[in-house]
Amino acid sequence: FQIHMNPSQSTLTLEGDDIDRVDKAMQHVSYLNSRQFPTPGIRRLKITTAVKCFNEEACVSIPSVEGYVMVLQPEEPKISLSGINHFARSASEFESSEGVALFPELRIISTITREVEPEGDGGEDPTVQESLVSEEIMHNLDTCEVTVLGEELNQEQESLEIDMTRLQQKGIEMSSSNLGMIITGVDTMASYEEVLHLIRYRNWHTVSLFDRKFKLVCSELNGRYVSNEFKVEVNVIHTANPVEHANHIAAQPQFVHPVHHTFVDLSGHNVANPHPFSVVPSTATVVIVVCVSFLVFMIILGVFRIRAAHQRTMRDQDTGKENEMDWDDSALTITVNPME
């Protein structure tokens, strides 16, 4: 008994001299589709049988048989992109050689929703319905595209960059233009997460830049399954130059209150300040403190003087009343007769 198969595995040939063995072997022939999400539809097949006889005059002719295998619609995956979609960085970070990471905490997951039959005798009870269960699955992606929203990239002052060495190690290719960046290559979702974490945005002329928006979309099987549109907005924090600020105070004296910016992460908004700095009291602050202290001293001194004057007035009034009660004996003269 012999079995032959062509290189493309599209034709299977069975040869033998025992009809029962050939019949049992045909019962074990099966159709296999190794794709995780096979394309639904009909797979046609044809069975052709030839009989070789020892006596050519008694050969039997067997007609061909045609059939098909129906591949049903598979459970489609839902690819979801999530992470920080709105954050701010200082202008110096955009202008640095490293730039700003666009997707620092990107997460890629894929889920399928399938029906679960009820336990027990649910099939006999028409009121019992099948429940839907969503579960996470792992599979490969083949494309992720980063698109600039708004104006196209100005190659003279901004760019999207990525570590090409890391890409080559993973066997993933990249192409870029003024519209964004496209990453291609069949690889796992975890591997694509690592690659997308490497994408950085640089802008070495941020004087007139306040925000930039981008969109990320990943897909599989040449766009058959597409993820959601993950949009990211980055804001530029402009800070005053310390030298120019000091010159401005010298030219136009005025009271300046230092403002301390507190950067907080709230509901997907991340404002980071990776370079904390110490605040040194300025000349204006010292002048304000001295003036306030002198004013408080003058107020306290005035209160004490008012109380002292009030007490002196009350004391003078009491002395006048006592003088009115004394006898006026300035004109009283007593004569004593010495003879008596």
Side-chain angles (χ1 to χ4, degrees):
F1 192 81
Q2 297 180 352
I3 301 175
H4 304 282
M5 184 174 291
N6 66 336
S8 62
Q9 298 184 354
S10 60
T11 302
L12 177 66
T13 303
L14 304 178
E15 294 183 3
D17 53 3
D18 189 341
I19 296 178
D20 293 336
R21 294 185 63 186
V22 173
D23 188 20
K24 291 181 180 180
M26 287 292 294
Q27 294 176 9
H28 288 83
V29 175
S30 60
Y31 167 77
L32 175 64
N33 193 320
S34 60
R35 299 178 65 181
Q36 188 174 15
F37 306 106
T39 304
I42 296 175
R43 309 292 191 268
R44 299 187 181 278
L45 56 91
K46 183 178 181 180
I47 302 175
T48 303
T49 307
V51 179
K52 295 181 180 179
C53 302
F54 295 102
N55 186 0
E56 295 181 359
E57 297 179 355
C59 279
V60 180
S61 177
I62 300 178
S64 300
V65 178
E66 295 184 356
Y68 64 89
V69 176
M70 175 65 75
V71 179
L72 301 179
Q73 177 69 38
E75 297 168 342
E76 297 186 356
K78 180 181 179 182
I79 306 172
S80 301
L81 308 178
S82 61
I84 299 176
N85 57 7
H86 189 186
F87 58 91
R89 296 289 186 271
S90 62
S92 59
E93 292 190 51
F94 287 92
E95 297 175 356
S96 65
S97 58
E98 296 182 357
V100 174
L102 286 182
F103 313 106
E105 299 183 13
L106 180 70
R107 182 81 171 91
I108 304 177
I109 61 173
S110 180
T111 57
I112 59 172
T113 303
R114 58 186 181 87
E115 296 180 353
V116 178
E117 296 182 357
E119 298 180 357
D121 299 333
E124 299 178 359
D125 189 357
T127 60
V128 178
Q129 298 180 354
E130 296 181 344
S131 59
L132 300 178
V133 177
S134 179
E135 60 182 13
E136 184 175 346
I137 62 172
M138 301 299 295
H139 57 91
N140 295 335
L141 301 177
D142 55 23
T143 304
C144 279
E145 182 176 357
V146 181
T147 307
V148 181
L149 299 179
E151 298 181 359
E152 298 181 1
L153 290 175
N154 185 353
Q155 300 294 341
E156 296 181 357
Q157 67 181 34
E158 58 182 345
S159 65
L160 288 175
E161 300 179 359
I162 193 171
D163 188 350
M164 296 302 300
T165 304
R166 298 283 297 275
L167 285 184
Q168 294 174 358
Q169 293 175 354
K170 294 181 175 295
I172 296 179
E173 299 179 355
M174 184 274 294
S175 61
S176 60
S177 66
N178 294 341
L179 300 177
M181 177 184 295
I182 299 178
I183 301 174
T184 57
V186 179
D187 210 333
T188 62
M189 294 185 294
S191 183
Y192 263 90
E193 281 185 5
E194 296 179 7
V195 171
L196 292 172
H197 290 168
L198 301 175
I199 298 179
R200 312 185 75 84
Y201 170 68
R202 286 188 60 204
N203 191 311
W204 47 92
H205 188 69
T206 58
V207 176
S208 59
L209 180 67
F210 294 96
D211 58 68
R212 224 22 172 137
K213 298 179 181 180
F214 302 88
K215 180 181 69 175
L216 173 64
V217 177
C218 295
S219 62
E220 182 188 11
L221 299 177
N222 297 323
R224 179 177 171 186
Y225 301 119
V226 183
S227 70
N228 60 308
E229 294 184 354
F230 181 67
K231 297 181 180 180
V232 174
E233 179 179 349
V234 293
N235 297 115
V236 183
I237 302 175
H238 294 278
T239 56
N241 191 328
V243 177
E244 295 179 356
H245 186 63
N247 293 337
H248 180 68
I249 293 177
Q252 298 179 1
Q254 56 183 346
F255 295 111
V256 180
H257 298 275
V259 180
H260 304 277
H261 297 279
T262 302
F263 305 98
V264 184
D265 271 342
L266 290 177
S267 64
H269 293 66
N270 180 21
V271 183
N273 183 16
H275 304 291
F277 55 88
S278 60
V279 179
V280 180
S282 61
T283 305
T285 305
V286 176
V287 172
I288 292 175
V289 173
V290 173
C291 292
V292 172
S293 301
F294 182 76
L295 179 61
V296 172
F297 174 77
M298 293 300 295
I299 292 175
I300 295 174
L301 182 61
V303 171
F304 276 107
R305 295 193 63 178
I306 292 174
R307 290 189 59 185
H310 180 69
Q311 292 177 358
R312 188 166 54 251
T313 303
M314 295 297 297
R315 190 165 52 250
D316 293 342
Q317 291 179 356
D318 294 341
T319 304
K321 291 181 179 180
E322 293 177 358
N323 292 337
E324 291 178 0
M325 297 297 298
D326 293 342
W327 290 97
D328 187 7
D329 55 355
S330 58
L332 182 62
T333 301
I334 300 177
T335 303
V336 178
N337 188 355
M339 296 300 296
E340 295 178 356

